[in-house]
Amino acid sequence: MYYLSEQQRVLAEGARDKACPFGEDINLDAYIHDPDHDQVPTYDELVAEERETLVKAGFDVGDHDRAASFLQVNHAIGHCCRKVEGVEVMPMRQALELYDSLPEYWWQAVDVDADKYTAKVALDFDNGYFIRALAGTKTTLPVQTCLFMSSEKVLQNVHNIIVVEEGAELEIISGCATSHQMKQGLHLGVSELYIKKNARLSFTMIHHWGEEVVTRPRTVVQVDEGGTYISNYISMKKVRSLQMYPTAYLRGRGGTVRFNSVVAAPAGSHLDMGSRVYLSHPECRAEVISRAVSFGGDIVARGHLVGEDPAVKAHLECHGLMLSRRGLIHAIPELEGRAAGVEMSHEAAVGKIAREEVEYLMARGLSEEEATSTIVRGFLNVAIEGLPASLQKDLDELMARSNEGGM
Amino acid sequence: MLTVEDLWVDVGGKQVLKGVNFEIPDGRTHILFGKNGSGKTTLLLTLIGFSAYEVVQGRILFKGIDITRMPVNERVQLGMGVSFQRPPAVRGLLTRQMADICNRSGADYKELAERLNFTDFLDRELNVGFSGGEMKRSEMLQLMLQKPDFIMLDEPESGVDIENMHLIGKVASELLERHLNRTRKRSGLIITHTGYILDYLNADLGYVMIDGAIVCSGNPYQIFSTINEKGFEECANCTI
């Protein structure tokens, strides 16, 4: 409560039961939020137990080739270190203390009363990370973060802020994962990203949740003049329910944003996800590319581009591949031109693998299974380049299952 | 090498091949002529085993083995190879990755790609936005790496300019070991409309296919000359 103004608190209280228009409405009371009594493993214990899981979420436990690392386990900070100058990485609570509640950034992009999930994070805030690249800093190594859940039925409320100051360039790999022993859990994550003038942020988020986990990330990105935001989102593993609609506001001339997402939905997964971009200044550019593969799970792939200045360009692409007789892929691309002269386009396609392509590869010696896997991998690789080796392995395992479900 | 016996094939429920018979011995290159829609591509895709081509009667023997019901990749492992007329675009798969799939021996193909004037295309998605000529060079590169014993080329010259035609012709000749005489092992079946490829192959025998059946066979150069002079109708009466 300390971290909310009275007005924010009233708004959050009023939104306690405010359902989100998208995705399943989650009963928050079904999860346990008890930071004082939660048994959180130490970083060393966790590393021994969950090394592989962390690696699959893109987290290098030895901090090798990383500019900084941040790990939160349930409600507690598991690990936080920094190896380079010019980049601040610290727990959110520490940043709020240090910088007088960060009035420029704290709840300035995301509304506390957007829905019951933002309200919950506001009212029962655990922690999160604060990352800032100071003006002009250009790091060659990425910062890594991981939000980890390890207790059964745990509710994790996280609030993150990332600031990339003028002229700075930063790369972040952010993993979200659960202990292999844990089945159910709820992750609520508010992220506010501020890309200042001529700054650049590449943000790769890898979800590696437990099969019965529910997650509701809430992300808003503000991009100033000449700034660039690149988001890569990857989720290859079953997750019971994910709903998110990250939104970027291009607030100055020449702002650029690209959302790439690659998701696979095994049977039992329900993903409702998309990206929204407001282009309100000249020469702003946006590209939203998604690749969705259903192995029997449900995927709603949304996208919404709003052109508010005549000199903007934007493109939206939702491609889906059905690899099972069951499951759903529902592509919902939306374009909203609010000024004469906008150039906005979209393409959406949902289908199965073309038999002709499979046999073409078989005619070069691949078995039917190998040919199918190769095509699916290619389909997904369109959006994400340079996938870490550990993720590629996950992807390969999924591919091997591509003939399940009556293909 | 290849024996086709009384082959009847349906495509989408429609009868396309109607009792095709022929034989290609080791080391021989045969040419298949025919109008558009006569069934030439259907024959090639049936020989390689594509599932849309249903063999309703007859059989295909390759190296003495009945491959009529064999999956595509097993035919390829036995030594068949094909250059497609219109190969599909495969998004996200780089041409280099496809070349690696074909290159089972792990040979260095840098020089070969350069010869085919194709180096710049290796890091492009396979057949995505390729011109007709680029597709053909890609197909020839793949076949050169695959090193099949029996080579099928479906209109290797379509969409290829004169300069690249020379290149394709030389590579096809090399692939079919036309420079060898007694030691030549590889065989081929080539579909051609324009006949340009004939200049490079010194082919052994030609067939004319009309309405799903082979109506005539003989010297391929003589057949081509007759088709040019008198059209396919004359072949139906087979004056050669």
Side-chain angles (χ1 to χ4, degrees):
Chain A
M1 215 57 79
Y2 171 75
Y3 299 106
L4 290 181
S5 68
E6 184 54 26
Q7 190 191 3
Q8 286 169 328
R9 193 190 64 76
V10 170
L11 286 170
E13 288 287 358
R16 267 188 188 278
D17 297 316
K18 185 179 175 186
C20 173
F22 308 117
E24 178 192 353
D25 187 37
I26 304 300
N27 175 14
L28 301 180
D29 296 334
Y31 297 90
I32 301 162
H33 187 253
D34 189 7
D36 297 335
H37 298 95
D38 192 19
Q39 294 293 316
V40 177
T42 65
Y43 183 52
D44 288 341
E45 284 166 355
L46 190 75
V47 167
E49 254 182 30
E50 310 293 354
R51 182 180 294 263
E52 199 184 331
T53 308
L54 289 169
V55 168
K56 281 181 178 170
F59 194 85
D60 189 298
V61 290
D63 303 321
H64 301 298
D65 297 327
R66 298 290 190 262
S69 300
F70 174 92
L71 171 71
Q72 179 169 330
V73 182
N74 297 346
H75 322 286
I77 304 307
H79 179 61
C80 186
C81 75
R82 183 185 65 160
K83 288 160 58 173
V84 298
E85 294 298 316
V87 180
E88 292 178 292
V89 177
M90 67 182 82
M92 196 68 236
R93 281 177 181 269
Q94 186 184 332
L96 290 168
E97 297 287 347
L98 194 62
Y99 297 116
D100 297 328
S101 299
L102 287 163
E104 277 179 86
Y105 305 121
W106 182 246
W107 290 112
Q108 294 305 302
V110 175
D111 294 329
V112 286
D113 60 346
D115 57 26
K116 64 201 268 188
Y117 310 112
T118 56
K120 183 71 177 170
V121 173
L123 295 167
D124 285 331
F125 163 59
D126 290 333
N127 216 325
Y129 53 76
F130 174 73
I131 299 174
R132 174 158 55 186
L134 302 179
T137 304
K138 294 183 179 175
T139 56
T140 50
L141 297 175
V143 170
Q144 64 176 356
T145 71
C146 184
L147 301 166
F148 194 82
M149 298 199 293
S150 70
S151 304
E152 189 60 22
K153 288 212 163 186
V154 69
L155 165 56
Q156 187 180 49
N157 296 324
V158 175
H159 190 150
N160 309 308
I161 288 177
I162 300 169
V163 181
V164 188
E165 291 187 342
E166 185 170 339
E169 291 183 7
L170 184 64
E171 187 183 334
I172 297 175
I173 300 172
S174 181
C176 292
T178 49
S179 158
H180 65 279
Q181 294 165 336
M182 188 194 132
K183 288 183 180 152
Q184 297 185 53
L186 172 60
H187 168 88
L188 304 178
V190 168
S191 296
E192 301 183 281
L193 280 59
Y194 301 92
I195 320 300
K196 304 290 190 177
K197 188 178 177 183
N198 297 328
R200 179 187 173 92
L201 174 64
S202 165
F203 187 84
T204 298
M205 182 183 274
I206 300 153
H207 276 179
H208 192 81
W209 297 113
E211 295 195 350
E212 294 301 321
V213 165
V214 173
T215 178
R216 294 289 183 269
R218 296 291 181 261
T219 302
V220 173
V221 189
Q222 293 184 355
V223 182
D224 291 347
E225 182 185 338
T228 301
Y229 175 63
I230 297 167
S231 160
N232 294 314
Y233 174 72
I234 302 160
S235 179
M236 288 285 124
K237 197 170 170 286
K238 183 186 165 191
V239 56
R240 198 193 98 199
S241 175
L242 160 75
Q243 187 278 318
M244 63 178 192
Y245 213 153
T247 300
Y249 293 89
L250 301 181
R251 309 194 310 171
R253 178 182 285 272
T256 301
V257 64
R258 196 161 78 220
F259 283 102
N260 301 320
S261 50
V262 170
V263 296
S269 286
H270 299 273
L271 311 177
D272 186 321
M273 46 174 294
S275 306
R276 179 179 279 141
V277 185
Y278 289 87
L279 303 98
S280 51
H281 286 77
E283 296 167 29
C284 283
R285 302 282 179 269
E287 205 172 25
V288 174
I289 310 263
S290 77
R291 293 287 182 273
V293 179
S294 170
F295 293 90
D298 298 345
I299 302 168
V300 181
R302 302 177 191 276
H304 186 190
L305 299 172
V306 185
E308 297 176 325
D309 184 277
V312 300
K313 285 186 184 173
H315 180 66
L316 181 58
E317 196 178 294
C318 304
H319 285 190
L321 203 53
M322 296 290 295
L323 294 183
S324 167
R325 291 205 177 106
R326 296 191 189 87
L328 163 85
I329 297 179
H330 186 177
I332 310 176
E334 291 182 67
L335 301 180
E336 202 175 314
R338 292 181 171 271
V342 294
E343 280 185 52
M344 300 199 295
S345 58
H346 80 73
E347 58 177 279
V350 177
K352 59 177 185 176
I353 293 181
R355 186 74 201 154
E356 184 194 21
E357 287 182 36
V358 174
E359 291 183 337
Y360 180 46
L361 290 178
M362 288 173 76
R364 299 299 180 236
L366 295 186
S367 68
E368 184 164 357
E369 291 74 23
E370 289 168 338
T372 304
S373 302
T374 303
I375 291 164
V376 175
R377 202 177 302 125
F379 174 81
L380 296 176
N381 279 349
V382 169
I384 304 286
E385 290 171 4
L387 216 57
S390 54
L391 273 174
Q392 190 65 57
K393 188 165 168 270
D394 262 17
L395 200 59
D396 290 343
E397 284 171 10
L398 270 167
M399 298 309 120
R401 293 166 47 195
S402 60
N403 279 347
E404 285 179 8
M407 271 284 294
Chain B
M1 178 78 74
L2 181 80
T3 306
V4 174
E5 295 176 354
D6 191 27
L7 192 66
W8 293 71
V9 172
D10 286 3
V11 183
K14 185 174 176 254
Q15 201 173 63
V16 180
L17 297 187
K18 303 165 184 172
V20 175
N21 290 283
F22 67 95
E23 192 174 341
I24 304 177
D26 288 2
R28 300 299 174 90
T29 293
H30 292 186
I31 308 293
L32 187 59
F33 300 102
K35 278 184 181 175
N36 288 333
S38 60
K40 305 183 301 296
T41 296
T42 294
L43 176 61
L44 251 61
L45 297 180
T46 304
L47 294 178
I48 198 69
F50 272 29
S51 57
Y53 302 84
E54 187 194 354
V55 177
V56 290
Q57 191 178 314
R59 59 179 194 157
I60 305 161
L61 298 172
F62 182 60
K63 297 182 177 174
I65 300 166
D66 188 340
I67 62 161
T68 316
R69 309 284 165 197
M70 192 180 270
V72 177
N73 55 314
E74 290 179 24
R75 299 180 197 218
V76 170
Q77 278 150 19
L78 271 182
M80 286 186 141
V82 61
S83 158
F84 294 92
Q85 188 187 353
R86 290 189 203 90
V90 186
R91 288 204 170 268
L93 181 69
L94 300 180
T95 307
R96 182 187 301 282
Q97 291 170 313
M98 184 63 147
D100 290 341
I101 288 168
C102 298
N103 186 19
R104 303 234 155 185
S105 67
D108 182 1
Y109 54 86
K110 195 177 161 200
E111 204 175 301
L112 179 62
E114 272 171 24
R115 254 185 71 202
L116 280 162
N117 198 14
F118 203 69
T119 308
D120 293 345
F121 294 87
L122 289 174
D123 289 317
R124 280 179 54 177
E125 290 174 275
L126 184 61
N127 300 325
V128 175
F130 282 15
S131 69
E134 287 155 5
M135 276 184 196
K136 292 293 145 70
R137 273 142 60 205
S138 165
E139 291 289 293
M140 293 310 279
L141 173 69
Q142 291 170 44
L143 274 187
M144 287 292 275
L145 292 169
Q146 217 177 324
K147 299 187 176 73
D149 298 326
F150 178 64
I151 292 134
M152 295 179 273
L153 308 178
D154 193 351
E155 293 193 33
E157 66 272 76
S158 72
V160 180
D161 58 35
I162 295 293
E163 194 181 335
N164 280 307
M165 187 58 241
H166 185 59
L167 197 60
I168 297 270
K170 280 177 73 174
V171 171
S173 169
E174 195 177 315
L175 200 55
L176 288 157
E177 297 177 327
R178 302 310 291 175
H179 55 291
L180 304 176
N181 285 320
R182 287 183 187 172
T183 55
R184 187 196 303 143
K185 287 272 186 257
R186 288 184 182 164
S187 306
L189 180 62
I190 321 292
I191 294 176
T192 179
H193 267 297
T194 65
Y196 292 142
I197 194 79
L198 296 176
D199 296 345
Y200 301 91
L201 295 182
N202 187 24
D204 300 294
L205 191 67
Y207 306 111
V208 177
M209 179 171 268
I210 294 179
D211 192 23
I214 289 174
V215 297
C216 151
S217 66
N219 181 305
Y221 298 89
Q222 213 175 339
I223 291 176
F224 185 62
S225 162
T226 306
I227 293 166
N228 272 341
E229 282 172 30
K230 300 175 181 172
F232 283 104
E233 286 70 23
E234 197 65 24
C235 296
N237 305 322
C238 192
T239 55
I240 297 170

